[in-house]
């Protein structure tokens, strides 16, 4: 695959199993591809998905927002409630390092926001991910005390948000909003 018909610019070649294929971006509005079979297998070939229309890249947005959140004089002019809502959605949809970066920005927003700028109950999907990780950690005795980077990042995020809602005097409402009714019943039974 390439961004030029002579396959000289932005060239990406793949062969073998789908696990060897990586996502990549090509500049421009045209993709050229060539499929060649060596006839060693009678499978159907390969399938790939092309997505167009991205306005910027994740890394660019991350760097811009991180810089804006580190400038104290800029923070009062930011629509933090809207940015918070958007960033929670980003953290829920992303995976890997991009999810870690999104959580890093959520942590910065919580730390620099005014009293009630952020609807912390929007964190419910991330809370469910965190509690799932906590439950798996308790059951996996082969790796005591070792937390994955995502687990550590979520632990820090929820530690800071819990302190924030405690300061605001709304801890009970926050905890009720994050947990499912089934989980609350199990905790009450215990």
């Amino acid at each position: 695959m390439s961004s030029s018909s002579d396959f000289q610019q932005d060239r990406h070649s793949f062969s073998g199993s789908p696990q060897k294929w990586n996502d990549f971006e090509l500049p421009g509005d045209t993709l050229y591809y060539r499929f060649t079979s060596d006839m060693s297998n009678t499978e159907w070939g390969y399938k790939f998905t092309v997505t167009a229309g991205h306005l910027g890249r994740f890394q660019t947005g991350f760097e811009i927002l991180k810089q804006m959140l580190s400038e104290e004089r800029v923070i009062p002019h930011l629509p933090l409630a809207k940015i918070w809502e958007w960033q929670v959605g980003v953290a829920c949809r992303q995976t890997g390092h991009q999810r870690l970066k999104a959580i890093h920005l959520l942590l910065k927003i919580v730390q620099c926001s005014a009293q009630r700028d952020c609807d912390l109950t929007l964190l419910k999907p991330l809370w469910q991910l965190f509690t799932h990780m906590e439950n798996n950690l308790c059951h996996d005795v082969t790796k005591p005390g070792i937390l994955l980077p995502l687990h550590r990042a979520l632990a820090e995020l929820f530690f800071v948000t819990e302190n924030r809602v405690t300061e605001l005097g709304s801890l009970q409402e926050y905890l009720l909003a994050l947990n499912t009714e089934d989980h609350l019943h199990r905790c009450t039974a215990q």
Side-chain angles (χ1 to χ4, degrees):
M1 295 181 204
S2 176
S3 62
S4 65
S5 60
D6 63 359
F7 293 90
Q8 297 302 311
Q9 296 176 355
D10 306 304
R11 183 180 174 155
H12 297 270
S13 296
F14 300 98
S15 177
S17 68
Q19 290 77 20
K20 294 181 180 179
W21 287 56
N22 297 326
D23 288 349
F24 63 92
E25 293 183 14
L26 287 178
D29 60 0
T30 306
L31 164 78
Y32 296 90
Y33 69 94
R34 180 177 23 215
F35 178 78
T36 308
S37 174
D38 63 3
M39 305 289 235
S40 65
N41 212 336
T42 58
E43 302 292 325
W44 281 93
Y46 288 97
K47 174 183 173 182
F48 59 91
T49 303
V50 177
T51 306
H54 289 286
L55 295 175
R57 296 176 43 155
F58 178 89
Q59 186 62 30
T60 304
F62 168 78
E63 292 298 335
I64 291 170
L65 188 52
K66 182 175 83 170
Q67 186 62 38
M68 290 171 64
L69 291 170
S70 64
E71 297 286 335
E72 287 185 32
R73 59 186 165 79
V74 173
I75 292 171
H77 304 286
L78 295 175
L80 285 180
K82 204 66 171 150
I83 293 171
W84 173 261
E85 182 180 337
W86 172 77
Q87 194 62 32
V88 170
V90 170
C92 291
R93 286 188 308 272
Q94 295 298 330
T95 59
H97 290 295
Q98 290 181 342
R99 179 177 272 168
L100 281 174
K101 288 179 178 183
I103 291 170
H104 171 76
L105 291 176
L106 288 174
L107 189 57
K108 286 186 79 70
I109 294 169
V110 167
Q111 291 169 332
C112 69
S113 66
Q115 291 295 328
R116 296 197 182 269
D117 276 341
C118 305
D119 179 0
L120 298 176
T121 62
L122 294 175
L123 293 173
K124 186 172 186 168
L126 293 175
W127 175 254
Q128 291 169 343
L129 174 63
F130 176 67
T131 55
H132 178 73
M133 294 175 99
E134 285 284 298
N135 291 337
N136 286 346
L137 184 68
C138 293
H139 292 63
D140 189 358
V141 293
T142 61
K143 300 176 191 171
I146 298 175
L147 296 181
L148 296 172
L150 176 59
H151 195 164
R152 287 195 313 266
L154 288 170
E156 184 176 5
L157 176 65
F158 287 111
F159 177 75
V160 170
T161 55
E162 186 177 323
N163 284 340
R164 174 55 61 100
V165 294
T166 301
E167 291 169 5
L168 297 173
S170 56
L171 180 61
Q172 185 174 356
E173 294 86 4
Y174 169 71
L175 293 175
L176 287 172
L178 290 184
N179 289 289
T180 63
E181 192 171 319
D182 184 48
H183 177 74
L184 294 173
H185 286 299
R186 278 186 280 136
C187 289
T188 304
Q190 287 177 346

